[in-house]
Amino acid sequence: MFTRRALLSCWGALTMATLVACSPDKPSFKAIDITGADYARGFTLSDHQGQTRSLSDFKGKVVVVFFGYTQCPDVCPTTLGELAEVKRLLGPEGDKLQGVFVTVDPARDTAEMLKAYMANFDPTFVAFIPTPEQLAVVAKDYKVYYKKVDGKTATSYTLDHSAGSYVYDPQGNLRLFSRYGSGPQALVQDIRTLLK
């Protein structure tokens, strides 16, 4: 005959087994898992080819979004160079990666300049050029910081800005925030996980 304590113990074990059986295995990522976040939900802007496009246009690919500017001395070229290396390391799966760059310097980053800049890293990467008003809205939605730092002349300014990248899965869902300096190998592993 079961005691009340034994019955409660059995019920507790059964409940735990059911919960474990019902919860799917959560993937392990190197980047910060922000699945389900209520920000960085996408945008519609003009790209460096003059076309109005949205992030949803890239469904079927893992999309990595980075905010920066062409005259950035270090963070931006390093990030885009690493992203190009990630695409190379992915081999045949590299075609399933879309690099997206959003300029935080629309005053100087013209379509022609951005087209040449993207070609330095990977010609399939797409750059977006928001108006100053659009940039303010998109930056707020993405929690991106940017601030003009005056230089010796009116056009020699620099910009302080956030340095991480947002990663979307092939279904267009925001999944990860990749910190600057994480290195290509970590992102390769995360992208392969998202492509499974």
Side-chain angles (χ1 to χ4, degrees), residues 105-150:
D105 190 12
R108 291 185 299 187
D109 286 347
T110 64
E112 283 304 309
M113 187 178 290
L114 284 164
K115 185 175 181 181
Y117 192 67
M118 292 296 102
N120 286 328
F121 303 101
D122 189 288
T124 68
F125 290 177
V126 176
F128 285 90
I129 312 166
T131 64
E133 296 77 20
Q134 289 172 327
L135 176 58
V137 171
V138 173
K140 184 177 179 184
D141 182 49
Y142 276 75
K143 302 182 184 300
V144 167
Y145 169 82
Y146 66 100
K147 183 180 179 187
K148 184 176 176 181
V149 179
D150 291 332

Side-chain angles (χ1 to χ4, degrees), residues 171-186:
Q171 292 74 44
N173 303 308
L174 176 62
R175 298 296 301 276
L176 306 171
F177 180 77
S178 179
R179 289 187 183 118
Y180 172 69
S182 298
Q185 291 292 348

